[in-house]
Amino acid sequence: MEPWRHLRMTARIEDYGLIGDGETAALVSRDGSIDWLCWPRFDSSACFAALLGDTGNGRWRVTPKSENPRMERRYRPNTLILETSFVTKEGEVTLIDFFPLRDRASQIVRLVVGKRGAVRMHSELVIRFDYGASIPWVRRTDDGALLAISGPDKVVLYTPVQLRGEGMTTVAEFTVSAGQTIPFVLMHTQSHLPTPDPVDALDALRQTQQFWEGWAAAHRNKGVADAYASAVTRSLITLKALIYAPTGGIVAAPTTSLPERIGGPRNWDYRICWLRDATLTLLAFMNAGYYDEARDWRDWLLRAAAGSPSQMQIMYGLAGEKRLAEWEVPWLAGYEGSKPVRVGNAASEQLQIDVFGEVMDALHQARVGTLRNPGEGWDFQRALTDHVEEIWSSADEGIWEVRGGRQQFTHSKVMAWVALDRAIKSAETFGLEGPVDRWRKLRDKIHRDVCEKAFNRSLGAFVQAYGSENLDASTLLIPAVGFLTATDPRVKGTIEAIERKLMPDGLVLRYETGETRDGLPPGEGAFLACSFWLADAYILAGRRDDARKLYERLLSLRNDLGLLSEEYDPRAKRLLGNFPQAFSHIAMINTAHNINTHARPCQQRSGLALHAAAEK
């Protein structure tokens, strides 16, 4: 068997790059294989699912026929256009991968550009709809295109290269010479609709580059250190690519079931929008000067959460869909054998009290940032506050969405306090009507409750839940939300305890999975957003050097394209979890601004003045 035809094992998570069009995204491996793509939306069924199975579950690989070519890749500066260069004994070729801006249909363009010599190439297209289960009916059209149909889906491939069928796969061999460009355009549309004309590949490249360069140029990089500026820009572009453009919702990641531990069951569908990300997302966009994206996200938030506060969920679909039933995909083997593969997320039905504080905080920050008329949506917020008054003392599943039963989680109580605090601040700052005296009394009661029941005196730290002995990284947010200052001895003790017990390899764990009743077997990587939270806490506590050192360590964990997943395994030196992860990139953006001496999100959010030592 020729070397390019071997059944290829799935690449490491960090070996993938992202391309997208604002409604869906694809993951492209170093060797030119698109192993994951859901069409037409981020959360649609995958038609390339090799990432979670094998090549028979769908992929599209374009690669030299030579064995072991030397490969390098990069994004074109300030764009989402991916270039992979292959150097062989015969010469050099560059594969350019991108999605044009979507018009009537979504299209992937792959350009094979000859740089030197004459390189023999191979294309292997395996289309499998329904997460790799459904083989389409494939035929030629009158104009020579390849048409594949299965149920509601239709995919059309346009290329001047001669194609042939081979074992339920479409293959091609061709040679590209220096100065030559060979296009492939793969288009998706609904099967009952006429097939739109394909884009002109070179013109689409020009327009796509202009769009991304223009968008990136609007970045207000005020105050971010030069050493971090390119990282922040790349994170902003990644975040932009995860926005579902028709609604403004932001998908947590474009993938499902990439494991938090290789071979384990902590595999979740992240192609969903979480309310928990709301405030930090707003601040990331606003501080970078992207007010349109911030406004669209706020509007999505209001539409999704609209209705009875008692029915508000922690997450919604891209357009605000509420039913996110979780089911398993038995025919997919899972990433490196990590099963089950899940679609949907049962955590959408959980009670997580912290999201009420998150929504109240986000809408308050939107007012402060002049994203809305001060009185707009206030009736809805008052209803949310009334609901928090009723449920704040209840046990819940908490920020980490445990499946081991409800507890009195500390972070949930702190965020209930935030809900009352932001209601009070909005009323006082913007002259809005409400029972402020009653809210103040309840805010003070919640504060006393947390300080009495969540602080473990023997540990000298706030713990995961009332009466617990376990630490939790979410307590690092206590100073960020303004519950206590970072110079309070209890907060300093919490930071020191987390340094001792939740940082075995210099990065922060969410909690000790072997000691917490979360309903799953123990074991996962370091949660990257938590490590950024520690850097933020260092800044608020005046430990700027420690913050910078940790931030630079986190930057070093990005892959060669500047992308981060949800978690990291320091021992195996591998990225883990769904990829790329919006929460990790949001945290990276905000911490870069926090390290700066102006407009720090952690100060903006808390409303507390920084300790003087933080300015040294």
Side-chain angles (χ1 to χ4, degrees):
M1 183 180 289
E2 294 180 275
W4 69 90
R5 297 302 306 277
H6 284 294
L7 188 67
R8 187 182 59 84
M9 297 295 289
T10 304
R12 290 162 67 101
I13 291 171
E14 56 266 34
D15 286 340
Y16 286 99
L18 176 78
I19 57 174
D21 64 1
E23 297 189 38
T24 191
L27 295 189
V28 188
S29 71
R30 287 182 184 275
D31 65 354
S33 182
I34 300 177
D35 287 347
W36 181 255
L37 170 62
C38 300
W39 252 341
R41 298 187 354 164
F42 290 108
D43 56 354
S44 299
S45 298
C47 65
F48 297 149
L51 179 71
L52 300 178
D54 58 35
T55 58
N57 297 124
R59 65 130 179 214
W60 184 15
R61 189 181 184 196
V62 177
T63 189
K65 293 179 69 173
S66 303
E67 190 170 2
N68 299 321
R70 189 172 78 249
M71 294 174 282
E72 294 182 357
R73 62 181 180 169
R74 64 161 196 160
Y75 283 117
R76 287 193 175 185
N78 297 327
T79 76
L80 203 66
I81 299 168
L82 181 63
E83 295 186 335
T84 305
S85 294
F86 298 95
V87 179
T88 72
K89 294 178 181 178
E90 303 165 318
E92 181 178 354
V93 65
T94 296
L95 175 64
I96 303 174
D97 288 320
F98 66 98
F99 279 83
L101 302 180
R102 189 180 294 203
D103 184 10
R104 289 171 296 166
S106 183
Q107 305 184 56
I108 292 177
V109 174
R110 313 195 81 177
L111 298 174
V112 185
V113 182
K115 296 294 186 180
R116 178 172 52 83
V119 181
R120 295 180 302 146
M121 301 291 294
H122 176 78
S123 172
E124 182 181 75
L125 176 62
V126 183
I127 303 170
R128 298 290 185 268
F129 295 105
D130 194 25
Y131 297 104
S134 298
I135 301 172
W137 183 262
V138 179
R139 65 177 177 85
R140 301 276 185 161
T141 64
D142 293 340
D143 58 0
L146 189 80
L147 183 68
I149 294 178
S150 177
D153 296 294
K154 175 166 62 176
V155 167
V156 188
L157 175 63
Y158 296 92
T159 181
V161 171
Q162 185 173 354
L163 306 169
R164 71 176 189 275
E166 187 177 293
M168 300 297 178
T169 300
T170 300
V171 298
E173 280 84 35
F174 59 99
T175 298
V176 60
S177 301
Q180 186 180 13
T181 297
I182 297 178
F184 293 80
V185 178
L186 189 69
M187 173 190 300
H188 175 275
T189 189
Q190 292 179 295
S191 60
H192 66 280
L193 296 177
T195 302
D197 294 331
V199 297
D200 179 288
L202 293 178
D203 185 58
L205 176 63
R206 178 185 59 80
Q207 291 187 37
T208 303
Q209 181 160 336
Q210 286 180 348
F211 167 79
W212 283 109
E213 287 177 342
W215 190 86
H219 179 197
R220 188 181 64 196
N221 206 24
K222 182 170 67 175
V224 175
D226 290 343
Y228 307 148
S230 62
V232 169
T233 298
R234 177 51 54 192
S235 287
L236 285 164
I237 290 172
T238 303
L239 195 55
K240 173 69 171 175
L242 298 180
I243 297 174
Y244 183 62
T247 67
I250 301 175
V251 67
T255 56
T256 179
S257 300
L258 290 180
E260 296 171 8
R261 182 180 186 181
I262 301 297
R266 294 175 183 263
N267 318 315
W268 315 109
D269 192 347
Y270 273 25
R271 299 169 302 157
I272 297 164
C273 306
W274 264 257
L275 302 191
R276 178 169 295 119
D277 305 353
T279 303
L280 294 176
T281 303
L282 275 176
L283 294 176
F285 277 133
M286 288 194 298
N287 287 327
Y290 292 107
Y291 280 83
D292 287 344
E293 285 75 12
R295 189 174 294 105
D296 289 345
W297 169 241
R298 178 217 59 198
D299 290 346
W300 177 91
L301 179 70
L302 281 171
R303 292 193 305 271
S308 171
S310 65
Q311 295 182 321
M312 195 174 83
Q313 298 179 188
I314 66 165
M315 62 179 82
Y316 295 87
L318 304 178
E321 297 90 347
K322 296 183 177 182
R323 298 194 183 277
L324 306 173
E326 183 178 304
W327 59 283
E328 297 179 4
V329 187
W331 58 86
L332 288 177
Y335 180 87
E336 295 191 16
S338 304
K339 298 189 76 171
V341 171
R342 293 183 172 94
V343 172
N345 200 313
S348 61
E349 301 175 4
Q350 291 184 348
L351 173 64
Q352 296 175 25
I353 295 172
D354 65 293
V355 297
F356 294 96
E358 188 69 45
V359 170
M360 291 294 292
D361 193 13
L363 296 179
H364 176 69
Q365 302 300 337
R367 282 193 181 87
V368 173
T370 67
L371 283 184
R372 61 187 299 108
N373 182 308
E376 187 182 354
W378 181 240
D379 289 343
F380 171 66
Q381 288 184 259
R382 284 194 56 174
L384 284 184
T385 307
D386 289 343
H387 187 61
V388 171
E389 290 185 77
E390 296 176 5
I391 67 166
W392 75 269
S393 60
S394 302
D396 71 343
E397 278 88 1
I399 183 175
W400 305 128
E401 301 169 4
V402 299
R403 300 191 176 198
R406 293 181 178 182
Q407 300 181 51
Q408 297 284 354
F409 285 107
T410 299
H411 180 70
S412 297
K413 307 304 182 192
V414 170
M415 293 305 291
W417 177 91
V418 168
L420 273 295
D421 181 73
R422 300 319 189 251
I424 294 164
K425 284 184 168 65
S426 288
E428 292 176 338
T429 305
F430 299 101
L432 303 172
E433 293 186 2
V436 175
D437 288 341
R438 190 180 81 213
W439 291 343
R440 287 196 191 100
K441 290 177 182 178
L442 181 56
R443 180 182 65 178
D444 293 344
K445 181 179 179 180
I446 297 173
H447 199 280
R448 288 193 303 271
D449 197 67
V450 172
C451 291
E452 290 170 6
K453 298 176 181 177
F455 186 75
N456 185 303
R457 296 187 182 280
S458 63
L459 292 173
F462 285 99
V463 288
Q464 185 177 63
Y466 286 5
S468 173
E469 297 285 329
N470 300 325
L471 296 171
D472 191 302
S474 63
T475 57
L476 291 169
L477 294 172
I478 285 174
V481 299
F483 186 84
L484 290 170
T485 67
T487 54
D488 186 290
R490 292 164 293 185
V491 174
K492 293 176 72 174
T494 301
I495 293 172
E496 291 166 1
I498 286 172
E499 289 174 320
R500 291 193 306 270
K501 295 195 170 187
L502 291 186
M503 296 183 68
D505 296 285
L507 298 171
V508 181
L509 302 173
R510 295 188 298 168
Y511 52 86
E512 285 287 352
T513 57
E515 299 177 5
T516 296
R517 179 168 49 91
D518 67 2
L520 293 166
E524 67 174 7
F527 198 84
L528 295 176
C530 295
S531 297
F532 285 111
W533 296 348
L534 178 59
D536 297 338
Y538 283 158
I539 293 163
L540 287 168
R543 298 170 57 179
R544 286 182 58 80
D545 290 342
D546 289 334
R548 193 177 293 274
K549 181 178 179 181
L550 177 55
Y551 186 72
E552 291 176 358
R553 166 94 190 274
L554 290 163
L555 288 186
S556 74
L557 305 182
R558 297 172 300 151
N559 74 357
D560 56 316
L561 295 173
L563 304 179
L564 281 175
S565 65
E566 181 182 30
E567 298 188 2
Y568 184 76
D569 183 343
R571 295 177 183 175
K573 300 187 184 307
R574 294 190 61 176
L575 292 176
L576 296 173
N578 285 300
F579 173 88
Q581 176 78 5
F583 208 22
S584 297
H585 285 280
I586 290 165
M588 181 191 293
I589 294 164
N590 284 321
T591 301
H593 283 278
N594 287 335
I595 290 173
N596 169 36
T597 57
H598 306 289
R600 293 184 177 131
C602 58
Q603 185 180 16
Q604 292 169 304
R605 187 177 191 187
S606 69
L608 297 174
L610 287 172
H611 188 265
E615 301 296 340
K616 293 181 181 178

